[in-house]
Amino acid sequence: PSGLQGDELFQRFYYQFFYFKSFGKIVWANGFRTGFAFPDAERLVFSERFLAGGSSTIRGFKLETVGPKDPFTHEGIGGEGLIIINEEARFPIYKWFGGAVFYDGGNVWVKANEISFSDLRHTFGLGLRVDFSYGVIRFDWGHNPDPQEGEAQNVFHFGFGQAF
């Protein structure tokens, strides 16, 4: 607001919902995230844009490469609209080893009013979990069945803790 000497006025909303259900030793994990930003000006400050792709959002993509991209570097530039859907089945394998099968979908849109479920990007994959007393170490392989120019079809991620 101008009263606080700001030069950009916008509204930004981010909602997330997670649900976990156990079926014996199998855990079905769900995640849904959506975001909308409505700037008054023609541009949204980069730090306030939504980005997706990577080990904790859409695992079939490299970090922050879903949605609008720089035409030269193919790096994500973010946008005003976001949807991320995660579905994952987690199961024990042996002692402290566990596995996961997952589906991740979503996209980032330049303008929030362009959001459409028909534009979602879909990925799926497998994961290995190693459960130590201090936390989980995660190895995930994400597959993008429909890569666009500059995108890998298979992406490997390493992380600490569950993806969501």
Side-chain angles (χ1 to χ4, degrees):
S2 59
L4 297 176
Q5 303 302 312
D7 57 359
E8 296 289 337
L9 180 62
F10 71 95
Q11 295 175 340
R12 184 176 190 265
F13 303 94
Y14 182 72
Y15 305 96
Q16 57 185 0
F17 173 79
F18 298 104
Y19 178 77
F20 304 90
K21 177 74 176 166
S22 294
F23 298 95
K25 293 184 177 184
I26 297 173
V27 175
W28 176 42
N30 306 234
F32 179 78
R33 293 171 258 188
T34 187
F36 313 93
F38 302 101
D40 261 1
E42 279 298 311
R43 63 182 184 87
L44 182 63
V45 178
F46 184 80
S47 63
E48 298 298 335
R49 292 177 185 225
F50 295 104
L51 297 161
S55 70
S56 63
T57 59
I58 305 174
R59 291 168 277 186
F61 291 89
K62 293 181 182 177
L63 183 65
E64 300 176 346
T65 59
V66 177
K69 295 178 183 61
D70 181 287
F72 301 106
T73 65
H74 299 289
E75 292 179 5
I77 59 172
E80 297 175 7
L82 167 80
I83 291 178
I84 297 171
I85 301 168
N86 304 106
E87 299 291 333
E88 182 173 89
R90 302 171 184 163
F91 51 89
I93 295 175
Y94 179 73
K95 292 192 178 188
W96 57 86
F97 289 98
V101 176
F102 62 84
Y103 161 82
D104 295 334
N107 210 341
V108 175
W109 289 266
V110 174
K111 297 288 184 189
N113 62 2
E114 297 172 347
I115 290 176
S116 169
F117 279 94
S118 64
D119 293 335
L120 294 183
R121 304 293 306 278
H122 307 279
T123 69
F124 58 87
L126 302 170
L128 177 66
R129 309 292 186 256
V130 183
D131 192 359
F132 293 101
S133 60
Y134 55 85
V136 174
I137 294 178
R138 174 170 49 89
F139 303 91
D140 288 326
W141 162 74
H143 178 74
N144 178 354
D146 187 25
Q148 296 177 353
E149 182 182 346
E151 295 176 347
Q153 189 164 34
N154 295 294
V155 179
F156 292 92
H157 295 285
F158 169 79
F160 297 99
Q162 300 291 358
F164 60 97

